[in-house]
Amino acid sequence: MAHFFIRRPVVAMVISILMVIAGAVALQSLPIEQYPSLAPPVVRITGNYTGANAEVVEQSVATPIEQEINGVDNLLYMKSLNTSDGRMLLDVTF
């Protein structure tokens, strides 16, 4: 069987071109959109309140931001971190 394609290289080239065209046509019909992303997108919000402790940062910075973000479409969850040096980190996952 291999001798057939060795003696007739034009037939081998035509078959390989047809296979590439068939693969390109099949690639257009693959349902790639139905699979989820590997990692959901995350938006990180940072805030800094110099001289405040974690409780003050939570009450004056983190809570108002979390209340405003709470109604966003496609929101999965939020993770908030308030540190004792006045920093606030909020990760919003969609």
Side-chain angles (χ1 to χ4, degrees), residues 41 43 66-78 92-94:
V43 176
E66 289 172 359
Q67 288 173 350
E68 291 296 322
I69 292 175
N70 198 18
V72 176
D73 292 338
N74 299 326
L75 174 71
L76 294 178
Y77 59 89
M78 290 186 285
V92 182
T93 305
F94 293 95

Side-chain angles (χ1 to χ4, degrees), residues 10-24:
V10 175
V11 174
M13 286 188 282
V14 169
I15 290 174
S16 65
I17 290 171
L18 289 176
M19 288 176 62
V20 169
I21 292 172

Side-chain angles (χ1 to χ4, degrees), residues 55-94:
E55 188 175 326
V56 173
V57 172
E58 178 187 359
Q59 292 172 356
S60 61
V61 178
T63 302
I65 292 174
E66 289 172 359
Q67 288 173 350
E68 291 296 322
I69 292 175
N70 198 18
V72 176
D73 292 338
N74 299 326
L75 174 71
L76 294 178
Y77 59 89
M78 290 186 285
K79 177 184 171 190
S80 180
L81 175 68
N82 303 311
T83 61
S84 61
D85 63 348
R87 289 186 304 149
M88 186 264 316
L89 298 171
L90 178 65
D91 291 335
V92 182
T93 305
F94 293 95

